[in-house]
Amino acid sequence: PEFISVNNLADVVGVRPAQFVQRMEEMGFEEITYRDILDAETAGLVAAEFNYEAIFDSGKADLYAAPEIEDTSDLPSRPPVVTIMGHVDHGKTTILDWLRKSSVAASEHGGITQHIGAFSVTMPSGKAITFLDTPGHSAFLEMRRRGADVTDIVVLVVAADDSVKPQTIEAIKHATQAKVPVIVAISKIDKEGNNPDRVKGDLSIHGIHVEDYGGDVQAIGVSGKTGQGMVELEEAIVALSEMLDHRAATTCNVEGWVIEASTKSYGRVASVLIRRGTLRPGDIIVAGTAWARVRTLRNEAGVTISEATPGMPVEIDGWREQPGAGTELLQAPTEQKAKDVVDYRLEKSDTQKMGIDIVAINEARRELL
Ligand code: GTP
Ligand code: MG
């Protein structure tokens, strides 16, 4: 969603805040202060009063991105993207490590996994699952803030000997707000003092109703130490993802998200999760105010691959600047276009970065041409 404060809107249309508020009251708004935040639609109405037009723009300039709601039923399947969340020390990394070790990609390539913020596990059935390795990470929150639905499934980890804790509740909030289905992993089931029933009861207090507790959320006791329950957890993820049946176009312009960015010996790199399209070396992409001509694509084992398809995490180099974690990635037709888009974005003011361009009506026409 796009928002702007009354103060900023007044500033953009060049009217003093007090006068602006008065005008809004004359328009029928009640108890307005200059600190109030207007949604895009309201801002558009008010701006029109001042002969300005609001252009809703999420910073994409004119790179094409597919509409959010589309009929995907005829498109190819893609791997589900799973995020592990839970309270500190409850065993998230241990579970991820177990899954990573069981991954075919890791064993095929000597098991030297690199940290690229996400990794892919191929199940015995041949189905791939992508795990986001950055729970609670700023990139995840940044993507959430931008309304990106990068995660298809949340695995909520709750330690059997510690039960629900503040960050568990936080994770429940994130998953619920994002309307992402949850699977509960009751971790450390091997430990003395484990009490899965208490965990289930505590979860229902916080709105997660597991099977046997009046709901249909799956809860699986696991130990990342002994491996107990881990196959069951994997199966639960596969079953849920098959039910959700995620699909994405592979032949359109590439769209994705930057999960992480860093500098390695071979240059600036970004871990990217592709949402639509197929990314190949030579492609030109823009993420925020950074652009790249893709030089090399690597999977999480550091192995060079020839293309990346939707749901696949991949490390890209060839960046001219370091892209920001959590930014949206879009394909550009030419280097010149990529540069133009970056320049346009760099020029935008802070209010415009909030997602609304308020421009004079005449100017609006010009910009739309
Ligand atoms: P943060 O990243 O710090 O939030 O922690 P985390 O949730 O990733 O937990 P992590 O996997 O690092 O595990 C925390 C501690 O619990 C470590 O000492 C692990 O060895 C231990 N631990 C994790 N899983 C299990 C388990 O299944 N059984 C037992 N006995 N110990 C576990
Ligand atoms: Mg951890």
Side-chain angles (χ1 to χ4, degrees):
E2 286 123 358
F3 300 96
I4 187 168
S5 70
V6 169
N7 200 33
N8 281 340
L9 186 54
D11 191 43
V12 174
V13 303
V15 175
R16 295 237 303 279
Q19 226 181 319
F20 190 83
V21 166
Q22 200 186 338
R23 251 319 249 295
M24 281 185 71
E25 279 167 354
E26 283 162 19
M27 284 176 73
F29 289 91
E30 289 173 7
E31 293 180 32
I32 287 285
T33 76
Y34 63 90
R35 259 187 260 105
D36 286 334
I37 305 293
L38 307 175
D39 63 25
E41 201 182 329
T42 313
L45 281 172
V46 178
E49 272 291 298
F50 294 87
N51 256 345
Y52 278 76
E53 185 169 354
I55 296 178
F56 308 119
D57 171 298
S58 49
K60 283 172 184 162
D62 40 7
L63 289 179
Y64 175 77
E68 272 315 310
I69 296 163
E70 57 176 351
D71 178 11
T72 57
S73 54
D74 288 336
L75 300 173
S77 294
R78 64 161 175 85
V81 179
V82 180
T83 301
I84 313 264
M85 295 179 128
H87 193 67
V88 60
D89 245 26
H90 275 195
K92 301 179 293 293
T93 301
T94 307
I95 289 175
L96 280 171
D97 283 348
W98 196 95
L99 294 164
R100 204 194 303 260
K101 274 180 211 134
S102 78
S103 135
V104 172
S107 54
E108 269 179 1
H109 303 292
I112 310 153
T113 53
Q114 306 203 342
H115 186 73
I116 72 163
F119 65 96
S120 171
V121 171
T122 306
M123 307 304 292
S125 65
K127 183 154 175 89
I129 302 174
T130 299
F131 287 93
L132 268 195
D133 204 357
T134 53
H137 188 286
S138 58
F140 181 77
L141 293 179
E142 180 64 13
M143 287 184 274
R144 280 280 339 272
R145 201 182 62 74
R146 290 160 192 253
D149 294 323
V150 267
T151 303
D152 301 311
I153 296 170
V154 164
V155 172
L156 180 66
V157 177
V158 192
D161 62 340
D162 204 26
S163 199
V164 172
K165 284 282 171 304
Q167 285 164 279
T168 319
I169 297 166
E170 188 80 351
I172 292 171
K173 209 176 77 192
H174 285 314
T176 310
Q177 279 173 358
K179 297 193 178 71
V180 178
V182 170
I183 293 173
V184 175
I186 302 177
S187 60
K188 308 197 187 184
I189 202 79
D190 62 296
K191 271 183 94 172
E192 219 169 291
N194 77 75
N195 190 347
D197 282 329
R198 180 177 153 222
V199 172
K200 293 174 185 178
D202 286 350
L203 282 172
S204 71
I205 294 170
H206 293 282
I208 298 286
H209 304 289
V210 304
E211 290 164 342
D212 310 334
Y213 280 71
D216 53 9
V217 174
Q218 284 202 73
I220 297 141
V222 300
S223 167
K225 276 264 162 78
T226 66
Q228 185 189 336
M230 291 301 292
V231 171
E232 229 181 309
L233 177 61
E234 284 184 324
E235 283 169 359
I237 295 168
V238 170
L240 182 56
S241 73
E242 267 163 12
M243 202 187 83
L244 297 170
D245 193 27
H246 297 291
R247 293 165 183 275
T250 52
T251 55
C252 56
N253 281 328
V254 175
E255 294 170 37
W257 296 93
V258 174
I259 308 291
E260 285 186 348
S262 59
T263 304
K264 295 193 175 171
S265 54
Y266 40 88
R268 293 186 194 95
V269 296
S271 302
V272 163
L273 195 59
I274 303 297
R275 180 174 62 209
R276 291 191 186 88
T278 303
L279 188 67
R280 298 188 180 88
D283 285 347
I284 296 153
I285 48 176
V286 178
T289 53
W291 70 276
R293 176 183 281 277
V294 177
R295 208 159 42 203
T296 318
L297 300 174
R298 291 182 180 85
N299 68 11
E300 70 271 13
V303 174
T304 301
I305 54 175
S306 58
E307 57 178 39
T309 48
M312 240 174 111
V314 66
E315 188 191 80
I316 299 169
D317 61 11
W319 295 94
R320 307 303 154 109
E321 307 85 23
Q322 190 95 289
T327 51
E328 186 178 33
L329 177 146
L330 295 170
Q331 185 166 11
T334 60
E335 281 196 7
Q336 190 54 51
K337 185 76 185 180
K339 286 178 197 162
D340 288 349
V341 168
V342 166
D343 286 345
Y344 170 81
R345 291 177 177 184
L346 287 170
E347 272 171 22
K348 289 171 102 192
S349 70
D350 282 347
T351 52
Q352 289 164 333
K353 275 182 193 148
M354 295 182 78
I356 308 177
D357 289 350
I358 310 285
V359 290
I361 298 270
N362 293 340
E363 211 184 321
R365 297 272 142 71
R366 186 169 59 76
E367 293 220 346
L368 287 172
L369 291 175

